[in-house]
Amino acid sequence: MHLIPVDSAPYQEMTIAFKAHSLRLTLRHNSLADYWAMDVFDLKQDLYTAQGLPLVVGVPLLWRRPVEYCFILTDESGIGLDPVGGEDLGQRCLLYIADKTQIPL
């Protein structure tokens, strides 16, 4: 698993490399509904893998999509709560990308 450097800014866009993929991640905090969402765009294939995907703790995000990677959001406090408020991401909740073959289910 590889840690993705995110913080609590309400809008973030970054490009990450994972294996043969070049991915543009867009993270947004919806302050009205109080949740974080992520878009994943594969730059090499020129298509979205996910749009508006809610960030939730403990679920391998994109697990059922036909890609070799998934994202994992952890709660470092051990409580297991999804990120709430604009301050949780990058502090209490950390985002990782992982090869699906390395995830025991």
Side-chain angles (χ1 to χ4, degrees), residues 27 35-38 53-57 61 71 73 82-83 89 95:
L27 303 166
Y35 75 95
W36 285 89
M38 176 173 66
L53 182 67
L55 293 181
V56 293
V57 170
L61 305 169
F71 294 91
L73 187 69
D82 295 337
L89 195 62
L95 184 63

Side-chain angles (χ1 to χ4, degrees), residues 3 12 14 44-47 70 79 82 88 96-97:
L3 180 64
Q12 303 171 53
M14 67 194 75
K44 290 184 179 179
Q45 294 184 11
D46 195 32
L47 59 85
C70 65
I79 298 172
D82 295 337
D88 284 347
Y96 296 88
I97 188 169

Side-chain angles (χ1 to χ4, degrees), residues 49-84:
T49 305
Q51 288 182 282
L53 182 67
L55 293 181
V56 293
V57 170
V59 177
L61 305 169
L62 302 182
W63 186 259
R64 293 186 174 169
R65 301 279 171 94
V67 293
E68 60 184 332
Y69 55 86
C70 65
F71 294 91
I72 298 174
L73 187 69
T74 63
D75 178 355
E76 298 301 304
S77 72
I79 298 172
L81 293 176
D82 295 337
V84 292

Side-chain angles (χ1 to χ4, degrees), residues 20-37:
H21 301 279
S22 181
L23 306 171
R24 184 176 63 227
L25 305 181
T26 305
L27 303 166
R28 298 177 307 283
H29 180 253
N30 181 324
S31 59
L32 297 176
D34 202 17
Y35 75 95
W36 285 89

